[in-house]
Amino acid sequence: MKTLLSVDVEDWFQVENLKQAITRDSWDGNISRVERNVEVILESLDKNNSTATFFILGWIAERFPQIVKKIHQQSHEVACHGYNHELIYSLSPENFRQDVIRTKTLLENIIGEEIIGYRAPNFSITDWAIDVLISLGFKYDSSLFLTVAHNRYGNLKDYKISSNSVFELKNDFYQVMLSNIEYAGVKLPWAGGFYFRFIPYSIFKRGIDKILKKKGIYIFYIHPWEFDPKQPRVKNINLQYKFRHYANLKNTESKFIRLLNDYKFLPIRTVIPQKTKHINE
């Protein structure tokens, strides 16, 4: 059985739930807290002998290359989260291609190693995006989150979706699905994020064990801003979005440490049959 850990590296002001109050043009005017929050995650992983995949925004990598370097130097996987955290289905295929090329190139230049993994912002994956990723040399996508609980997540309608957590979507290209748990025929989200913060840990752990027993693989995700209860509080946003963003932030770090004590986590690349290449090879 394998437990895989992923971190979607974005700052507090780049979250979709706050978009109605914080425009893209204002990002550079906000105080960044991402470096401190990534450091908290790295320290916890190091103390508990776990490694992870960090899906990093190109916007972050361009301004904080030291974060990317440190993640890589500590033997974690660096992967692509796009540049501007835009929902895929809001972009044209060509704009999406350029967004991904820009980020992949940035990350590869920083770490000197091929980037093989991608995750869509807000899991907004589409069928045509898969073809773009394959054409750019990616080996896997980890964006498919089959659940009833969110209105922004994308889907793959043109592909046969396996019941396995990791499966070959096309020749030599893999899908790593976010974990859910089925109850009365309904798929409930059980992969991390808000659900991890909101659900009592003992119940969440029982769900993980159930998933591992059934599928043998569990995929978890979290964001750096979820470790930061002192982040600025944004007003004038939808109450539902406000709840999703701020609920139980004060408990994230302690629950995360419990999770790392109970399971040893690995990066996603460990379940992908592909040797990572160095750029200069």
Side-chain angles (χ1 to χ4, degrees), residues 91-110:
L91 300 172
S92 69
E94 182 55 29
N95 285 342
F96 172 69
R97 174 184 289 272
Q98 294 307 316
D99 176 273
V100 174
I101 289 173
R102 184 180 183 183
T103 305
K104 190 174 192 287
T105 302
L106 267 170
L107 295 172
E108 289 178 341
N109 287 341
I110 292 171

Side-chain angles (χ1 to χ4, degrees), residues 119-168:
R119 174 169 291 161
N122 283 273
F123 308 111
S124 58
I125 195 63
T126 67
D127 291 303
W128 56 260
I130 295 296
D131 293 330
V132 173
L133 294 174
I134 292 172
S135 73
L136 295 177
F138 286 90
K139 293 300 178 183
Y140 76 85
D141 168 71
S142 181
S143 306
L144 191 59
F145 200 175
L146 300 179
T147 171
V148 299
H150 210 292
N151 59 348
R152 295 195 197 108
Y153 297 169
N155 209 338
L156 298 176
K157 299 178 181 179
D158 295 341
Y159 293 93
K160 183 178 180 181
I161 306 303
S162 171
S163 60
N164 296 324
S165 298
V166 181
F167 60 94
E168 195 171 26

